[in-house]
Amino acid sequence: MYKRQGDVTSIDVEFRLQSGSNDKICRWFNCKGNIIEPSSSHHYNRVVGILIDITDTVMAEQQLTLAKTVYDNTSECIVITDKDNNIISVNKAFEKVTGYCHDDVIGKNPRILASGYHDLAFYQKMWRSLETQGTWQGQLHNRRSDGVIYPEEMTINKIEDDHNVINYVGVFHDISSRKKTEKKLKLLANNDTLTGLMNRRRFIEKVEKYIDQINDVSADNSPASVCSLLFIDLDDFKIFNDLYGHDFGDKVLQKVATILRETVCEHSVICRYGGDEYAVLIKEQDINYAQGIANQLVNIISQPIKCNDIDINLTISIGISSYPESGTTHQALLKNADYAMYEQKWLGRNGVCVYDQQLQHEYISKLKLRDKLKSAINTKKIKVYYQPIVDNKTGRVCKFEALARWYDDQEGFICPGIFIPIAERYGLIGMLGQLVFEKACADLDRIHRSGFTDVVFSINHSVKEFSQHNQEYIFETINNYNLPYSAIMIEITESTALDDGKNIIDILSAFRSRGIAISLDDFGTGYSSLAAIIDIKPDLIKIDRSFVVDIEHSKESQMLVSLVIDLSRKLKIEVVAEGVETQAQLDILSEMSCYYIQGFYYSPAVTIDDAITILKERNQNMVLDVQ
């Protein structure tokens, strides 16, 4: 600034200088003085005055300006109080988050933001931290000007001068969005998205924690020292997915979840364990109470359930375990409830099975039998016997059914009705089926080389074998023995394909395309016999022995057998009657034009040597047995 007074010109200017060509640091100066001795050309050559280095002052002002800019524009909310905790300053972020403007809060205590969410002890702990440590950090809930309570994360610092408090500075930010995200992530981590029930991982944690709590308390026979666990599985749920689609199946699962919420007691823990399985932890209740709830669930769900304006008939199988009778760890309770549920499946589904001492004994026995069976399969101690199927018109044996037989050194003869379900349950059925198939093909090759080239072997296949084992070995084994595909018939129960859907139908189609015939066993005992014929398109139907045994005295059995024979004849499907034991049964079946007979009337299942002897006797083909 220049100012002229008469012949004297005074100046007051601020300027900065860079100290060197490579020095980026500038220093600020203030120059005050007078300009003297002007030249003839009116240029001033001399200045008399004071030059002051004001770098520190300028830098301090710049820092203050920067601090104010940050203070006004930061997204963090800032509130400053005096030593008496009265607000003296707030920034724009504070006004935006709380809804209070600057003039609304100046001079007031920050308690105007209090939500009532925290108790006195919370604030006492906060002030104790400020007084002793000079700072406090944590989460709290405050109230906006419109009354809405929100969560915030806050840091408060005490500002002192010569050990005297002059200010408190609070910096906070609204964490509502973060809390919502955390809640959503927690929900996704702990709950099943389809039903809203607790998921498997979280349920196991809950059961484990509750059992640990019980174990930590001395046994006093109080209600708190017991609990029960239900393991629930929907019977034949796959049918609904196949018939109506997975969206419909999802709605069924949601309906069942709703029924569980409405039926079990309030303090129970409900879980969608996976797929069509649910689990329920009933706290502080013994096995009798749990059975009552389970039976109630069975009755409710067995009633028609409307879904998408369609009435569906659904049933469930429930297994129950209880603490401490069924186990004292969460692993034991879950495992034993699951086992009891599968036991109910074996017993006929649509009911309740309790894991008790008897079931535990049976469970251990089955585990031992499983180990023995696995060893017997590996050491090829499973034998294959053959029961002839006779053409009653000619008396010749046209087929044999291959049947697995097992004799254990300690247990003796073990019925297939016992060891085959064990193989299915514990994943051994694929190994067992392949062993039987390979042995049967080897024996059929021996029969064909003996001259009986028209004989066909019917070999059983379990539904579990289709799903647990690759079926390519069938073609490889047949080719290894140079057998014609037409000499092999795969025998399945009528419910097999319907139980496992399109997958088995496709496999059977692959068999049929090679020339392998399909036999439908136990016909008439399943839930959808005609559907089985349509879907499976069998080459042969076997009438179940339960109808044959009563055929002499039961008009209903005679009528059903007659209908099956008439239907099969029209569909050009062969019929075999199983379980024929008497001449009277044979005569009735012959009158009905059922000429393929299997049963003790002709022969039980026999060894391959005896089978060849039967062929020589019945087929009158006395050729040399090729060993």
Side-chain angles (χ1 to χ4, degrees):
M1 181 180 68
Y2 295 87
K3 186 176 181 181
R4 186 175 182 83
Q5 293 181 347
D7 294 334
V8 179
T9 300
S10 63
I11 63 172
D12 187 352
V13 296
E14 293 181 358
F15 58 92
R16 61 183 179 179
L17 294 176
Q18 192 168 339
S19 60
S21 59
N22 295 325
D23 194 348
K24 296 182 180 180
I25 299 176
C26 296
R27 300 199 67 80
W28 286 85
F29 297 92
N30 176 251
C31 181
K32 292 181 180 181
N34 297 321
I35 302 173
I36 60 174
E37 297 184 9
S39 65
S40 58
S41 59
H42 302 288
H43 290 102
Y44 301 104
N45 296 324
R46 293 185 181 183
V47 177
V48 177
I50 300 172
L51 183 66
I52 303 173
D53 187 339
I54 60 170
T55 301
D56 292 341
T57 303
V58 171
M59 296 297 291
E61 289 176 352
Q62 289 178 347
Q63 289 296 321
L64 286 173
T65 301
L66 179 62
K68 187 177 186 309
T69 301
V70 173
Y71 181 80
D72 289 336
N73 294 282
T74 182
S75 59
E76 296 287 307
C77 304
I78 302 174
V79 55
I80 303 174
T81 70
D82 60 19
K83 64 183 180 60
D84 297 319
N85 202 30
N86 295 314
I87 298 173
I88 60 175
S89 180
V90 297
N91 67 348
K92 293 178 181 178
F94 176 95
E95 295 178 327
K96 182 179 179 180
V97 169
T98 66
Y100 290 100
C101 66
H102 180 273
D103 295 337
D104 293 334
V105 297
I106 296 301
K108 296 182 180 179
N109 192 288
R111 71 171 60 96
I112 64 171
L113 303 173
S115 63
Y117 184 89
H118 306 285
D119 58 15
L120 180 61
F122 176 86
Y123 292 107
Q124 288 175 339
K125 185 177 180 181
M126 174 195 293
W127 281 105
R128 188 160 53 249
S129 176
L130 280 169
E131 294 304 321
T132 58
Q133 301 179 31
T135 186
W136 176 87
Q137 186 175 31
Q139 292 184 8
L140 69 159
H141 288 73
N142 274 337
R143 190 187 303 273
R144 306 185 204 275
S145 62
D146 60 3
V148 175
I149 296 174
Y150 68 98
E152 63 184 30
E153 200 165 66
M154 189 172 205
T155 300
I156 305 175
N157 288 300
K158 179 174 64 173
I159 310 299
E160 293 182 319
D161 184 14
D162 291 334
H163 304 293
N164 294 316
V165 177
I166 57 174
N167 294 109
Y168 294 99
V169 178
V171 180
F172 65 92
H173 59 274
D174 185 351
I175 57 173
S176 299
S177 297
R178 193 181 87 188
K179 285 292 186 181
K180 288 179 181 177
T181 301
E182 288 175 353
K183 184 177 180 181
K184 185 176 181 180
L185 290 174
K186 186 177 181 181
L187 186 68
L188 291 173
N190 294 332
N191 293 79
D192 171 54
T193 55
L194 177 64
T195 63
L197 297 176
M198 190 176 294
N199 64 19
R200 177 177 182 171
R201 180 193 61 80
R202 184 60 175 161
F203 179 77
I204 292 175
E205 289 177 357
K206 286 279 189 180
V207 176
E208 180 180 12
K209 183 178 180 180
Y210 189 72
I211 296 300
D212 288 343
Q213 288 175 356
I214 294 178
N215 288 336
D216 288 341
V217 178
S218 298
D220 56 3
N221 296 322
S222 67
S225 65
V226 298
C227 68
S228 298
L229 195 144
L230 309 184
F231 207 96
I232 304 164
D233 182 80
L234 308 188
D235 299 328
D236 301 319
F237 175 72
K238 190 176 184 300
I239 292 175
F240 299 108
N241 281 334
D242 292 342
L243 287 176
Y244 303 111
H246 288 277
D247 289 342
F248 183 89
D250 288 346
K251 292 186 182 298
V252 173
L253 294 173
Q254 291 169 338
K255 289 275 188 183
V256 173
T258 300
I259 292 172
L260 290 175
R261 289 191 189 97
E262 294 173 348
T263 306
V264 303
C265 51
E266 182 180 356
H267 299 296
S268 298
V269 181
I270 312 172
C271 152
R272 183 185 176 201
Y273 205 75
D276 59 346
E277 293 179 333
Y278 301 83
V280 180
L281 172 65
I282 304 179
K283 300 178 180 179
E284 302 182 4
Q285 297 293 344
D286 62 14
I287 193 70
N288 294 325
Y289 181 88
Q291 277 186 281
I293 292 293
N295 287 324
Q296 191 176 351
L297 285 170
V298 169
N299 292 333
I300 292 173
I301 292 179
S302 64
Q303 302 300 315
I305 297 175
K306 187 173 288 294
C307 189
N308 286 3
D309 296 325
I310 299 174
D311 286 332
I312 62 171
N313 294 304
L314 188 66
T315 62
I316 57 175
S317 296
I318 302 180
I320 305 178
S321 63
S322 62
Y323 178 97
E325 292 87 352
S326 306
T328 56
T329 66
H330 69 283
Q331 297 99 327
L333 289 184
L334 286 165
K335 179 192 70 173
N336 293 337
D338 184 32
Y339 180 80
M341 182 273 292
Y342 274 106
E343 188 70 18
Q344 179 58 40
K345 292 276 190 184
W346 289 358
L347 294 173
R349 309 182 181 185
N350 191 29
V352 179
C353 181
V354 176
Y355 189 90
D356 55 18
Q357 291 297 323
Q358 180 181 352
L359 197 64
Q360 184 175 10
H361 176 73
E362 293 174 357
Y363 177 56
I364 294 172
S365 297
K366 287 175 181 176
L367 289 180
K368 291 180 178 177
L369 197 61
R370 174 202 63 185
D371 295 339
K372 282 178 172 288
L373 178 59
K374 186 174 182 180
S375 175
I377 294 172
N378 290 333
T379 56
K380 300 189 184 314
K381 289 185 177 180
I382 302 297
K383 305 300 181 182
V384 183
Y385 280 39
Y386 304 94
Q387 186 171 31
I389 298 173
V390 178
D391 182 345
N392 196 45
K393 291 182 294 183
T394 64
R396 293 171 61 88
V397 175
C398 55
K399 298 177 180 64
F400 284 94
E401 180 179 358
L403 299 166
R405 293 293 184 262
W406 179 23
Y407 183 87
D408 181 73
D409 293 338
Q410 295 176 332
E411 303 291 336
F413 176 77
I414 300 175
C415 176
I418 294 177
F419 72 80
I420 289 178
I422 293 290
E424 291 178 332
R425 174 67 193 275
Y426 294 107
L428 302 175
I429 192 64
M431 297 168 56
L432 176 61
Q434 184 167 349
L435 176 65
V436 170
F437 192 87
E438 290 174 350
K439 177 61 176 171
C441 284
D443 288 341
L444 181 59
D445 175 52
R446 180 179 169 188
I447 284 177
H448 281 198
R449 287 188 294 110
S450 298
F452 304 102
T453 56
D454 58 342
V455 170
V456 173
F457 270 14
S458 180
I459 306 173
N460 287 281
H461 246 48
S462 160
V463 60
K464 297 293 184 181
E465 192 173 349
F466 283 101
S467 58
Q468 296 177 6
H469 208 63
N470 191 317
Q471 302 301 299
E472 286 298 320
Y473 77 87
I474 288 179
F475 305 125
E476 294 172 2
T477 305
I478 295 173
N479 292 333
N480 285 343
Y481 287 100
N482 294 316
L483 294 169
Y485 286 112
S486 58
I488 299 295
M489 177 174 285
I490 298 297
E491 187 167 314
I492 61 173
T493 59
E494 68 168 282
S495 59
T496 293
L498 298 177
D499 279 345
D500 207 41
K502 187 175 183 297
N503 180 50
I504 288 182
I505 298 298
D506 290 343
I507 294 174
L508 295 179
S509 296
F511 289 161
R512 189 177 287 105
S513 68
R514 300 282 189 102
I516 298 174
I518 306 299
S519 171
L520 196 59
D521 194 15
D522 300 337
F523 188 79
T525 61
Y527 51 79
S528 187
S529 300
L530 293 177
I533 293 179
I534 293 171
D535 289 340
I536 300 173
K537 301 179 180 64
D539 301 281
L540 182 145
I541 289 174
K542 301 182 81 171
I543 300 173
D544 187 68
R545 67 183 66 248
S546 62
F547 299 108
V548 173
V549 73
D550 291 332
I551 200 169
E552 295 178 58
H553 312 290
S554 171
K555 293 294 184 183
E556 289 77 9
S557 293
Q558 291 179 17
M559 184 178 298
L560 186 139
V561 171
S562 178
L563 287 172
V564 170
I565 293 171
D566 290 343
L567 175 65
S568 301
R569 185 182 298 110
K570 291 176 181 178
L571 294 174
K572 297 181 180 179
I573 298 174
E574 292 183 346
V575 179
V576 173
E578 289 187 296
V580 178
E581 298 182 359
T582 67
Q583 183 67 49
Q585 293 170 350
L586 182 63
D587 292 342
I588 293 173
L589 290 166
S590 297
E591 290 176 7
M592 293 179 179
S593 299
C594 178
Y595 299 113
Y596 292 109
I597 305 299
Q598 180 178 353
F600 279 21
Y601 178 82
Y602 283 118
S603 173
V606 297
T607 65
I608 183 61
D609 291 334
D610 290 338
I612 292 175
T613 299
I614 290 173
L615 282 171
K616 291 178 178 179
E617 292 174 352
R618 286 205 158 267
N619 292 21
Q620 298 176 352
N621 193 354
M622 306 297 293
V623 298
L624 182 63
D625 184 9
V626 179
Q627 297 297 326

